[in-house]
Amino acid sequence: MFQPVRIAPSILSADFMHLGDDVAMIEQAGAAFVHIDVMDGHFVPNLTMGVPLLKSLKPATKLVCDVHLMIDNPLTELPWFIDAGADLLNVHVEALSEADLVRAVAQIHEAGLLAAAALKPKTPVAALAPVIADLDMALVMSVEPGFSGQSYIVGSDLKVAEVAAMARGAGNEAMLIQVDGGIGEKTAPLVAAAGADVLVCGNAVFKAADPASALQAVQAAADEARLAALAGGEQGA
Ligand code: DX5
Ligand code: ZN
């Protein structure tokens, strides 16, 4: 059955001096998530935002607070972000041993939050194996994490299809697939057709002349591709 994609604007590209206005704008324009890029200067070179910002943001929005942890020590930091009001916590598989990845997902679920695991572009999808049956969402990075405004890595849609097949194989049909990096009106259809459910957009939304229209244009382009893929699949069946 057709489900529209969910747009998750990344506030890394927002105007921090007017963050409240920017978040209200994306909510009004139809975003489903607000994507919060937490970077520690170790796991990735950049240093961005963290717990105090999430604490201020959470009561100001109805959007799902989607926290993308690009940090070296997610296991020790999880309680802080749980306490600060995250709805969804996303840990990178590269930052954790297999056992700690399983622990992190369990800890997020015990707190009643949605759990996601993220893959850097060069990380094989097999790294999701220990948790794929339990995840609410998997994130396929389509740029090297660290900065907004980079170009989509060609072929990332093939990885989305691989993750979708792996989730089906594990009996986790409900798992969402998120794609993050270089997503805009041109690239959204590629990943949506491959099975992406949640699209992170930084520059494509916040750096557009009309951000609300840009968000809706990405959504429309992605939904059209999803519908076409669904129709093609049904014909082929
Ligand atoms: C990159 C971040 C992304 C980034 C997306 O490490 O995880 O969320 O802000 O920005 P765009 O859409 O501009 O690539
Ligand atoms: Zn991100």
Side-chain angles (χ1 to χ4, degrees):
M1 204 186 65
F2 173 73
Q3 294 272 1
V5 295
R6 296 170 220 199
I7 305 294
S10 160
I11 55 168
L12 186 56
S13 296
D15 177 355
F16 285 12
M17 293 303 284
H18 301 99
L19 189 56
D21 294 341
D22 276 1
V23 172
M25 177 277 293
I26 58 168
E27 193 166 332
Q28 186 75 29
F33 293 12
V34 53
H35 186 81
I36 301 155
D37 284 308
V38 178
M39 305 188 190
D40 65 353
H42 294 272
F43 183 75
V44 289
N46 206 357
L47 195 57
T48 57
M49 58 194 92
V51 167
L53 184 134
L54 177 60
K55 273 197 174 148
S56 301
L57 180 61
K58 175 64 183 170
T61 183
K62 291 195 191 70
L63 298 173
V64 172
C65 287
D66 160 23
V67 179
H68 180 189
L69 292 174
M70 285 162 277
I71 61 177
D72 265 344
N73 54 343
L75 211 47
T76 49
E77 292 293 317
L78 285 179
W80 291 75
F81 286 94
I82 289 166
D83 183 55
D87 297 299
L88 186 158
L89 278 170
N90 198 335
V91 295
H92 264 271
V93 300
E94 303 85 359
L96 294 160
S97 66
E98 274 193 30
D100 281 348
L101 176 59
V102 171
R103 271 187 207 108
V105 169
Q107 200 175 321
I108 296 166
H109 279 153
E110 273 157 29
L113 274 58
L114 299 170
L119 297 171
K120 295 205 301 189
K122 295 193 187 81
T123 305
V125 302
L128 292 172
V131 287
I132 189 105
D134 302 315
L135 289 178
D136 299 294
M137 189 173 84
L139 165 57
V140 174
M141 290 294 309
S142 42
V143 297
E144 283 298 336
F147 301 93
S148 56
Q150 303 181 75
S151 298
Y152 171 84
I153 297 173
V154 173
S156 303
D157 50 322
L158 301 177
K159 197 162 175 186
V160 170
E162 256 187 277
V163 172
M166 191 175 171
R168 274 196 302 275
N172 190 357
E173 304 272 350
M175 190 192 81
L176 299 173
I177 302 180
Q178 183 177 49
V179 184
D180 183 5
I183 299 299
E185 219 180 317
K186 289 209 174 75
T187 49
L190 300 173
V191 294
D197 306 287
V198 184
L199 305 183
V200 177
C201 295
N203 278 18
V205 167
F206 288 110
K207 304 296 185 203
D210 180 347
S213 304
L215 187 157
Q216 288 156 4
V218 174
Q219 168 111 41
D223 282 344
E224 193 184 326
R226 244 167 109 91
L227 263 171
L230 202 63
E234 275 163 12
Q235 258 168 30

